[in-house]
Amino acid sequence: MLALSLVLNGIVLGSVLLLFSLGLTLIYGVGRIVNFAHGALFSAGAMAGVWLVASGVPFGVALVVAPVAVGLIGVLIDWAILARIRDRPMVDSLLLTFGLALLITGILYELGGRNVQIMPVPQVLGGLISLGGISLPAYRVFVSVLAVALTVALILFLKNSKWGLRVRAANDDPEMGACIGIDRERLMHSVVGVSAALAAASGVAAAPIFTAHAVVGDKILILAFMTVILGGLGSLRGAVVAAYAVGLILVFGEGYFGGQLALMLLFIVVMAMLINWPRGFFGEGRTE
C-alpha cells in the first residue's frame, strides 16, 4: 500500500515537472537558450493565479488568464532582451537569464512575494478519489490529468500545424531552417511565449499544493534541469519520460530514505546519465 501511494504521489510531482520542463525543452531546442528565468515565471504564474482567485475570479478562468498574461510577458522578454544575444555564445544567455530571474524575483517580492500565499483547492475538486485502495486528493489527480492533456495537445499541435513544422525544423537544424525561409525571430518570440505560458500554467496548477511566493519556482527549476538532462537536451518525448522518472525517484527516495538522500540519489542518476547516455533516454538530445 505504501508503494502504491508513493507511485501515485510521484506521478503528481512528475506531472508538475512535465508541464514546467516542456517549456525549457522547447526554448533550448529552437533557440539553444538555457533559461534560468523559467523558475521566476513559474512563481509569477503561481502568484498571478492566487491573486486572481482571491479577487473572485473562478479557478478555471485563472488557469487560463494567468498563463496567457505570463506568455505575453515571455514574448516581450524575448523581443526586448533575448533577441539581442541570439547569436552570442551560450554563456551570455546563461548570465543574462540568471540576471533576468533575479529581476523578476525582485519585482515579485515588491508585489507581495515575500509572504507565502495559499490558494484554496477549488470546491469541486476538494474531495478524495480512491485508486487501488489508496485515497488521493481529487485535485492532485486533476493536476496529473491536466499535465497529460496539455502535453498531448502540444505534441499534436507540433505535429499537425505549420507552426509546429517550423519549430521541429528549427529544432532539428536551425541553419537549414533559416535557409528555407523560416523567420527565426518571429518563431522564437512565439516559442518563448508558449514556454512562459507552460511555466505559468504549472505554477497556477501547483499553487494549491506548493503555495505561491517569489521563489517557489527555484526548487522546481533545479528539478526541471535534471529532468531535461535525463530526457536529453531538446527532446520532448525524453522530457515526458524523465519528468515522471524524477518524480518517482524523489517520492520513493523521500518515502524510504528521507529528503536529503532522495536528492543524492537523483544526483547520482543524473551523473550516471551524463557519463553513459549524455543524449538522454531516446538518444535524441544534444551534447553541446
Side-chain angles (χ1 to χ4, degrees):
M1 296 295 285
L2 174 60
L4 179 58
S5 177
L6 292 176
V7 167
L8 294 175
N9 282 286
I11 289 174
V12 173
L13 176 57
S15 298
V16 175
L17 279 173
L18 174 58
L19 272 183
F20 187 79
S21 301
L22 286 177
L24 281 177
T25 302
L26 273 178
I27 290 178
Y28 182 83
V30 178
R32 306 301 186 266
I33 295 174
V34 179
N35 186 15
F36 277 104
H38 211 59
L41 296 175
F42 178 96
S43 301
M47 289 182 58
V50 170
W51 180 80
L52 286 170
V53 170
S55 300
V57 175
F59 174 78
V61 176
L63 192 54
V64 174
V65 172
V68 169
V70 175
L72 292 174
I73 292 172
V75 173
L76 179 62
I77 287 172
D78 186 71
W79 173 79
I81 301 175
L82 298 182
R84 313 304 170 190
I85 61 163
R86 195 80 79 205
D87 298 314
R88 303 266 292 271
M90 186 177 293
V91 66
D92 290 356
S93 68
L94 291 173
L95 294 173
L96 181 62
T97 56
F98 182 73
L100 186 60
L102 295 178
L103 174 62
I104 296 173
T105 300
I107 294 173
L108 294 178
Y109 271 132
E110 295 303 317
L111 295 175
R114 289 184 174 85
N115 301 316
V116 174
Q117 303 171 35
I118 299 174
M119 179 189 291
V121 173
Q123 187 174 3
V124 69
L125 298 170
L128 296 175
I129 293 179
S130 181
L131 296 173
I134 299 296
S135 293
L136 196 69
Y139 184 77
R140 298 193 175 212
V141 176
F142 165 77
V143 171
S144 299
V145 173
L146 175 68
V148 172
L150 288 178
T151 300
V152 171
L154 176 63
I155 291 174
L156 290 176
F157 192 65
L158 287 171
K159 286 186 175 181
N160 300 301
S161 68
K162 291 183 178 179
W163 180 81
L165 180 62
R166 295 187 184 98
V167 168
R168 287 186 285 123
N171 185 27
D172 293 338
D173 194 331
E175 291 77 16
M176 184 58 69
C179 290
I180 62 176
I182 294 177
D183 188 336
R184 187 186 180 195
E185 290 304 309
R186 291 181 62 184
L187 183 63
M188 275 305 299
H189 295 342
S190 63
V191 166
V192 174
V194 169
S195 300
L198 287 171
S202 59
V204 177
I209 302 173
F210 297 154
T211 71
H213 50 89
V215 293
V216 69
D218 288 359
K219 181 177 180 181
I220 200 80
L221 178 65
I222 296 172
L223 297 179
F225 277 130
M226 294 186 188
T227 298
V228 172
I229 291 171
L230 287 176
L233 292 170
S235 172
L236 280 178
R237 64 173 181 166
V240 173
V241 175
Y244 288 107
V246 169
L248 290 170
I249 289 171
L250 280 178
V251 171
F252 269 87
E254 290 178 0
Y256 287 104
F257 308 114
Q260 295 302 318
L261 287 177
L263 283 174
M264 289 177 60
L265 177 61
L266 181 57
F267 275 116
I268 291 171
V269 172
V270 171
M271 287 189 292
M273 179 65 77
L274 283 173
I275 294 170
N276 297 291
W277 303 281
R279 292 185 180 275
F281 288 129
F282 298 104
E284 300 173 339
R286 293 179 174 80
T287 56
E288 55 198 348

